[in-house]
Amino acid sequence: MRVAIIGTGYVGLTTGVCLGYLGHRVTCLDTDESKIAMLRSGRTPIYEPGLEELLDQACPNLCFSTSYADAIPEAEVVFVAVGTPPLPDGSPNLGYLRAAAQGIADHLAGGFTVVVNKSTVPIGSGNWVESLIRDSYAQHHGKNLNGRFAIASNPEFLREGSALLDSLYPDRIVIGADEARALEVLYSLYRPVLDQTFAPPTFLPRPDGYAAVPLISTDLASAELIKYAANAFLALKISYINEIGRLAEKVGADVTLVAKGIGLDARIGTRFLQAGLGWGGSCFGKDTAALISTAAEYSLPMPIVAAAREINSAQRVRVIEKLLAELKILKGRTIGLLGLAFKPNTDDLREAPAFDVARQLIARGANVRAHDPIALERARHEYADCGIAFCESPADVADSADALVLVTEWPEYRDLDWEDLVGGMRTRLILDGRHFLDRSRLTRAGAHYVGIMG
Ligand code: UGA
């Protein structure tokens, strides 16, 4: 099928490359010329494991452009995957979505086109985009579209860092539309994934025992709500285990064992029960805020979601409390942060806990140094004036430091030369913000190990 994708961020680019790999003819569109130039030369503007390799393999089926005229007129399916960053009141900024709707309307031509919202958009946005396209088209072309397009929602569940696996081997695919023929088009588009008939890339083998993918076909509003409800639920799980973690510390229990003990109950599940600094990234914070803001439009409070957000913010403060309890004075101390990305295997720094922690430490007069195996360059560029000294190696961060805080659980941090690192510190305090490091190994290396939950 002929596909256009508007927006080459994590979602749009991954979707475009995967659909191209599956054999569809895909044009990826972005207004940022530098991104398009990079993609044309075979490089990706984001760090996502395997994406450049798959881009290379899908290359014959992919085009990159900054022009709606190149992408829209021929497309049978147009995905809208533009950013919806949060506004100060928690509601999402729909400016990019509006611009995309306008661009689509100006260039729609020919047969039936399905316009698919893949950005996480507030419930009701499908109807809104539909009316924008209809009105804009009538204004631009002086006639009505008369049933030549339909709107659908196809929420994305991919996680940064494992985006390709999540796209090729998803737990489920959700499509929502109020018109049956739009659902049929999306069904055909996803058929190779649904039936798993494609040959897996050599570096992304199909997981053992993985077979057909469940398809959930819904109305527009249900698909839109599924996305928010899924992200909010995952956020709740994390905040729940963090709340239990606080109690665990008081009563002398080990929260990681408690998580294992409850997670093995299949009704609860083991994933997203990792206690620590809490969630970051561009999704959970924004989506929980947007859910609360949508509910408020109906005068409906969402106390559970609101509590999850409060607990998450408090986890960042906990780092400062722990450091204060151990070091007594933060002024003039040197605190090293291991990890800047909001989670491992990505260079994404949006809402990354490291910067919340650094801000609070700097406000209290501490010197902050930080390292990240992948996101360092991006941090230097995007956070040039934040007051953090960015270091090339964990050893540079540890040298004469008063404490090291493990912020992001990059696998390589577990196997550092801890004897050497700890030996070079002024005060040998290691605060494990993710309950990730090997406590006994660190203790043997001479460190005073403290977990964020005790
Ligand atoms: C999340 C969802 O997991 C995806 O399903 C969804 O498609 C995506 O948002 C989105 O809406 O676009 P992502 O933000 O990439 O994906 O990352 P996650 O792996 O979900 O991690 C989110 C945050 O939670 C990270 O900061 C991570 O460190 C934290 N986390 C995760 C925990 O603190 N504990 C856990 O047990 C798991």
Side-chain angles (χ1 to χ4, degrees):
M1 295 174 79
R2 288 181 307 274
V3 180
I5 308 221
I6 306 177
T8 59
Y10 287 92
V11 169
L13 187 57
T14 306
T15 306
V17 170
C18 287
L19 289 175
Y21 178 78
L22 296 175
H24 298 298
R25 316 254 333 149
V26 182
T27 303
C28 296
L29 187 72
D30 204 295
T31 47
D32 185 333
E33 290 189 7
S34 62
K35 277 189 184 174
I36 293 299
M38 250 184 123
L39 288 163
R40 280 182 177 151
S41 70
R43 286 170 308 133
T44 55
I46 50 170
Y47 174 79
E48 181 61 43
L51 190 56
E52 250 169 38
E53 287 92 320
L54 202 65
L55 172 72
D56 184 48
Q57 294 195 11
C59 191
N61 288 334
L62 296 175
C63 283
F64 298 99
S65 174
T66 52
S67 154
Y68 281 83
D70 289 343
I72 307 298
E74 295 289 307
E76 295 155 85
V77 183
V78 178
F79 281 101
V80 183
V82 296
T84 53
L87 288 168
D89 69 353
S91 65
N93 177 353
L94 300 179
Y96 301 110
L97 191 59
R98 179 190 286 278
Q102 177 94 49
I104 295 168
D106 291 353
H107 294 92
L108 271 181
F112 180 63
T113 309
V114 182
V115 176
V116 191
N117 256 334
K118 216 164 181 48
S119 307
T120 305
V121 289
I123 300 133
S125 298
N127 298 38
W128 181 65
V129 168
E130 183 177 22
S131 72
L132 282 177
I133 293 180
R134 217 184 317 107
D135 296 350
S136 226
Y137 186 89
Q139 224 168 20
H140 192 83
H141 300 269
K143 55 183 180 189
N144 288 330
L145 261 165
N146 288 338
R148 282 198 287 114
F149 88 109
I151 296 286
S153 163
N154 171 216
E156 185 49 68
F157 303 109
L158 62 81
R159 291 159 299 168
E160 290 176 23
S162 54
L164 298 180
L165 284 172
D166 290 345
S167 300
L168 295 174
Y169 312 115
D171 291 337
R172 78 299 204 188
I173 290 179
V174 175
I175 53 177
D178 294 339
E179 266 192 58
R181 58 183 178 153
L183 294 172
E184 279 157 24
V185 169
L186 287 179
Y187 176 68
S188 305
L189 184 82
Y190 281 123
R191 196 83 199 261
V193 179
L194 291 166
D195 299 344
Q196 289 290 302
T197 48
F198 64 91
T202 46
F203 55 95
L204 291 168
R206 185 170 286 127
D208 286 343
Y210 186 86
V213 178
L215 175 72
I216 313 292
S217 286
T218 71
D219 57 274
L220 205 49
S222 300
E224 289 173 345
L225 183 53
I226 284 169
K227 171 68 195 194
Y228 281 103
N231 269 2
F233 191 80
L234 293 170
L236 293 182
K237 266 190 104 171
I238 298 170
S239 280
Y240 178 73
I241 199 63
N242 283 335
E243 184 170 277
I244 293 293
R246 292 176 199 185
L247 181 61
E249 186 178 61
K250 297 276 184 216
V251 302
D254 179 340
V255 68
T256 52
L257 296 177
V258 176
K260 204 184 256 177
I262 63 171
L264 288 172
D265 182 332
R267 293 169 301 175
I268 296 173
T270 47
R271 294 157 82 193
F272 280 72
L273 283 181
Q274 196 185 320
L277 265 160
W279 75 70
S282 66
C283 305
F284 289 172
K286 172 171 75 81
D287 294 351
T288 48
L291 199 57
I292 291 170
S293 135
T294 299
E297 288 174 25
Y298 299 87
S299 306
L300 190 70
M302 297 225 108
I304 295 182
V305 181
R309 287 173 58 79
E310 274 167 39
I311 289 171
N312 200 55
S313 309
Q315 289 306 102
R316 317 291 211 248
V317 181
R318 216 176 151 78
V319 174
I320 314 301
E321 291 167 355
K322 288 260 163 175
L323 289 172
L324 265 177
E326 297 292 334
L327 298 171
K328 312 296 177 203
I329 288 171
L330 288 178
K331 273 192 192 54
R333 300 279 196 183
T334 297
I335 312 293
L337 306 182
L338 291 178
L340 290 162
F342 82 95
K343 67 171 187 176
N345 293 320
T346 180
D347 63 347
D348 197 342
L349 298 170
R350 286 176 289 179
E351 312 251 339
F355 296 95
D356 287 337
V357 170
R359 259 188 300 274
Q360 294 183 60
L361 288 170
I362 291 166
R364 286 170 177 271
N367 305 306
V368 178
R369 296 183 195 151
H371 169 265
D372 189 286
I374 292 288
L376 202 62
E377 270 322 299
R378 187 180 278 268
R380 280 201 174 111
H381 183 65
E382 293 178 8
Y383 288 86
D385 302 323
C386 71
I388 301 176
F390 297 112
C391 300
E392 287 300 326
S393 70
D396 291 346
V397 174
D399 185 30
S400 306
D402 293 291
L404 281 184
V405 183
L406 186 283
V407 179
T408 314
E409 65 277 36
W410 286 99
E412 46 264 67
Y413 286 155
R414 209 197 292 261
D415 300 319
L416 291 171
D417 182 346
W418 282 105
E419 281 74 14
D420 191 51
L421 242 62
V422 170
M425 293 173 71
R426 185 162 38 220
T427 320
R428 298 177 169 190
L429 172 64
I430 309 286
L431 174 53
D432 186 350
R434 299 284 178 185
H435 289 272
F436 170 73
L437 300 170
D438 182 341
R439 182 191 288 256
S440 50
R441 187 168 157 211
L442 261 81
T443 311
R444 277 200 310 276
H448 172 41
Y449 174 98
V450 177
I452 187 167
M453 303 297 194

